[in-house]
Amino acid sequence: SKPNILLLFHSLLHLSTKTLWFFLNYDRDQGFLLFFFHFIQNFVLVAAMSSFLPATTDSIALALEAKDPSEGISILYRVLGDPSSSPEALRMKEQAITNLTDLLRQENRAEDLRSLLTQLRPFFSLIPKAKTAKIVRGIIDSVAKIPGTSELQILLCKEMVQWTRDEKRTFLRQRVEARLATLLMETKEYSQALTLLNGLVKEVRRLDDKLLLVDIDLLESKLHFSLRNLPKAKAALTAARTAANAIYVPPAQQGAIDLQSGILHAEEKDYKTAYSYFFEAFESFNALEDPKAVFSLKYMLLCKIMVSQADDVAGIISSKAGLQYVGPDLDAMKAVADAHSKRSLKLFETALRDFKAQLEEDPIVHRHLSSLYDTLLEQNLCRLIEPFSRVEIAHIAELIELPIDHVERKMSQMILDKKFAGTLDQGAGCLVIFDDPKTDAIYPATLETISNVGKVVDSLFARSAKIMT
């Protein structure tokens, strides 16, 4: 039948691209073996689809009752091979695609999901464009849930962008391009992502698709923030908020806007405002049971620590909402809060070492904790050197339990920043602390008196000028 011929053609086309890739990346013997393996695999797949099952409820139920996932997958492929294009058959095929996508995702068969998207292209011509967009986005989302598939997702999105251009499916292409830009940003391909977004923003603004425009502006804000361009990041976020105010925004999207707002305010050291935004984001994600809720809560705790309210951290974690997300992320913030409360650099460094994945590998937390570490180190050094007028650097390093060169470098920086008055005698290995110079109050008072006299003289001159005229 015609659908099966088209499916066979797409399968063999996919096979040839695989074969070419393997010949380019392996030697001849390995390439031949892999060619043979994929030939057999695709042959069995097409043969299975050729011996189709009718697209009915019974066939779907048969796949669900299969004990082995591979058997269920085979049955669903055969259902998709049904040449019937009646409304009922198309509806059953849509259900089969949904079930097949779930099974392939559970089995971590990302390459098969990519092949499925290629094989379904003849079917897409038989159903409405809105349903096609839903299926395509669903399969791409399923591939994203399989770990270690970033490169495959990018390749899959590029293939779909090309297909949507050929088929003139503008609505779907714009959303796939937005997804592609997100993936490029996650893989730190910032220049490609920015180029893609610039063209996409102009096109979507012209079409006035505000829901998609909110997503794109928010993504642009995240991209500029990654590039450390805060003015453009704030401008893009403002554009996203403006577009969101004109339409109904889903709670998940509103939570993402609030989360980005909190991140930008925290970057400007406005931690109280950032805390309120993180709280709003947490409530949105918590209601949806979204995994992003734990990150919002984590950043809330970070804001509490940065405004020297570390004692509130334990209370937030032990609250009803906080207990749902107890885990390594909250344990890491609790360890940092304890170190800050005790002003202990040793506990701080222990927390950074024990929770490296949650603290140092999170760029937002790491940036603020670096600032907090410097502040804590300066406070400890000032407290230790306060009783001395001359002290060995090695003694200070021993008291603070840090390497000598680290302490020496930090003290020289503090002297240059005028955090205290002193000098480093590197020959003797000592720090010489000077007494704080007392400013003579007579000089500011004299300057103020002269300024007041000048004002009086100016006033008298103005009055005399009026009398003379």
Side-chain angles (χ1 to χ4, degrees):
S1 60
K2 184 178 179 180
N4 282 332
I5 292 173
L6 290 172
L7 286 170
L8 176 61
F9 171 74
H10 281 290
S11 181
L12 292 177
L13 179 62
H14 182 64
L15 168 66
S16 63
T17 57
K18 280 185 175 181
T19 306
L20 177 61
W21 185 86
F22 281 121
F23 268 118
L24 290 173
N25 289 275
Y26 293 87
D27 58 35
R28 177 173 295 182
D29 293 336
Q30 288 177 318
F32 177 77
L33 289 173
L34 290 167
F35 167 79
F36 181 75
F37 170 75
H38 285 284
F39 176 80
I40 295 297
Q41 184 184 33
N42 281 265
F43 179 80
V44 170
L45 176 61
V46 176
M49 294 185 70
S50 300
S51 57
F52 65 86
L53 286 174
T56 61
T57 307
D58 293 338
S59 299
I60 302 294
L62 182 64
L64 294 175
E65 293 170 359
K67 296 180 180 179
D68 185 10
S70 299
E71 182 182 352
I73 291 171
S74 177
I75 292 171
L76 291 171
Y77 270 122
R78 292 171 65 190
V79 171
L80 294 179
D82 185 357
S84 174
S85 57
S86 65
E88 181 63 21
L90 293 177
R91 191 172 66 83
M92 287 296 102
K93 286 182 181 180
E94 290 174 24
Q95 183 61 44
I97 292 169
T98 302
N99 295 347
L100 179 59
T101 302
D102 292 338
L103 284 174
L104 291 174
R105 178 181 58 80
Q106 293 170 12
E107 294 294 306
N108 290 338
R109 293 166 61 172
E111 191 62 45
D112 289 341
L113 282 169
R114 176 190 171 192
S115 302
L116 175 64
L117 203 51
T118 304
Q119 293 155 9
L120 289 175
R121 290 179 183 178
F123 174 73
F124 291 152
S125 62
L126 304 175
I127 61 175
K129 291 183 177 181
K131 289 186 177 180
T132 298
K134 181 180 178 182
I135 292 172
V136 170
R137 293 167 68 184
I139 293 176
I140 293 175
D141 289 340
S142 296
V143 175
K145 293 177 182 178
I146 300 174
T149 57
S150 297
E151 293 184 2
L152 181 63
Q153 291 177 61
I154 293 174
L155 185 59
L156 180 59
C157 287
K158 288 181 178 179
E159 290 177 354
M160 290 310 300
V161 166
Q162 186 58 47
W163 178 75
T164 51
R165 286 187 186 278
D166 297 339
E167 296 291 323
K168 294 182 173 58
R169 295 179 183 245
T170 305
F171 178 82
L172 178 57
R173 175 181 58 78
Q174 291 170 346
R175 277 153 180 79
V176 175
E177 283 185 339
R179 182 60 175 270
L180 177 59
T182 303
L183 292 168
L184 290 171
M185 184 186 70
E186 290 174 354
T187 55
K188 299 184 178 180
E189 298 288 345
Y190 298 126
S191 59
Q192 294 184 36
L194 193 57
T195 302
L196 184 61
L197 276 182
N198 288 337
L200 195 57
V201 166
K202 294 177 183 177
E203 186 178 350
V204 174
R205 281 180 181 163
R206 189 168 59 251
L207 296 175
D208 201 28
D209 185 348
K210 293 201 178 292
L211 189 60
L212 180 58
L213 189 59
V214 171
D215 284 333
I216 294 173
D217 285 333
L218 183 58
L219 179 59
E220 188 178 6
S221 176
K222 293 178 181 178
L223 181 58
H224 285 302
F225 176 75
S226 300
L227 294 171
R228 311 299 303 143
N229 191 337
L230 293 183
K232 286 192 175 181
K234 291 173 65 178
L237 182 62
T238 302
R241 284 191 170 280
T242 303
N245 289 335
I247 58 171
Y248 168 74
V249 177
Q253 199 171 30
Q254 184 61 51
I257 293 173
D258 289 333
L259 183 62
Q260 182 66 10
S261 299
I263 290 171
L264 291 180
H265 278 88
E267 191 67 22
E268 296 178 334
K269 311 298 182 185
D270 186 2
Y271 293 109
K272 290 185 178 180
T273 307
Y275 179 86
S276 64
Y277 277 116
F278 287 138
F279 182 76
E280 293 292 336
F282 173 71
E283 286 196 326
S284 299
F285 292 136
N286 185 42
L288 298 171
E289 297 183 355
D290 193 304
K292 293 179 182 177
V294 70
F295 293 105
S296 302
L297 183 55
K298 181 179 176 181
Y299 299 150
M300 284 169 56
L301 301 179
L302 175 66
C303 291
K304 283 291 184 183
I305 295 170
M306 296 303 294
V307 294
S308 300
Q309 296 178 1
D311 295 337
D312 296 343
V313 169
I316 296 174
I317 293 175
S318 60
S319 65
K320 182 179 179 181
L323 288 174
Q324 301 177 26
Y325 301 97
V326 171
D329 288 289
L330 299 192
D331 291 342
M333 300 312 297
K334 189 174 185 301
V336 173
D338 291 340
H340 184 269
S341 298
K342 297 175 182 178
R343 296 186 177 181
S344 172
L345 282 173
K346 186 175 181 180
L347 290 177
F348 195 96
E349 291 186 338
T350 302
L352 292 177
R353 184 176 63 252
D354 294 344
F355 299 98
K356 184 176 181 180
Q358 290 76 26
L359 299 177
E360 291 195 357
E361 294 180 8
D362 186 327
I364 296 169
V365 173
H366 177 66
R367 187 176 299 114
H368 294 289
L369 288 187
S370 297
S371 173
L372 181 64
Y373 179 82
D374 288 340
T375 303
L376 200 59
L377 178 57
E378 289 176 2
Q379 290 175 352
N380 276 266
L381 285 174
C382 288
R383 179 171 55 85
L384 289 173
I385 66 176
E386 187 176 0
F388 301 101
S389 60
R390 182 182 179 90
V391 60
E392 290 184 351
I393 299 173
H395 180 64
I396 296 295
E398 183 181 350
L399 291 175
I400 205 168
E401 298 180 350
L402 287 175
I404 296 176
D405 58 338
H406 188 179
V407 173
E408 184 177 353
R409 185 166 57 251
K410 186 62 183 177
M411 286 194 297
S412 64
Q413 180 185 345
M414 291 171 67
I415 292 170
L416 291 173
D417 292 341
K418 298 183 179 180
K419 298 293 177 66
F420 67 88
T423 184
L424 287 171
D425 186 351
Q426 291 181 318
C430 292
L431 171 67
V432 181
I433 299 99
F434 303 145
D435 292 333
D436 292 332
K438 295 182 180 179
T439 306
D440 196 339
I442 193 171
Y443 295 112
T446 303
L447 289 173
E448 186 178 358
T449 302
I450 293 172
S451 176
N452 291 333
V453 170
K455 291 178 182 177
V456 170
V457 172
D458 291 341
S459 177
L460 292 174
F461 180 78
R463 287 186 181 184
S464 63
K466 287 183 180 179
I467 292 172
M468 293 297 293
T469 55

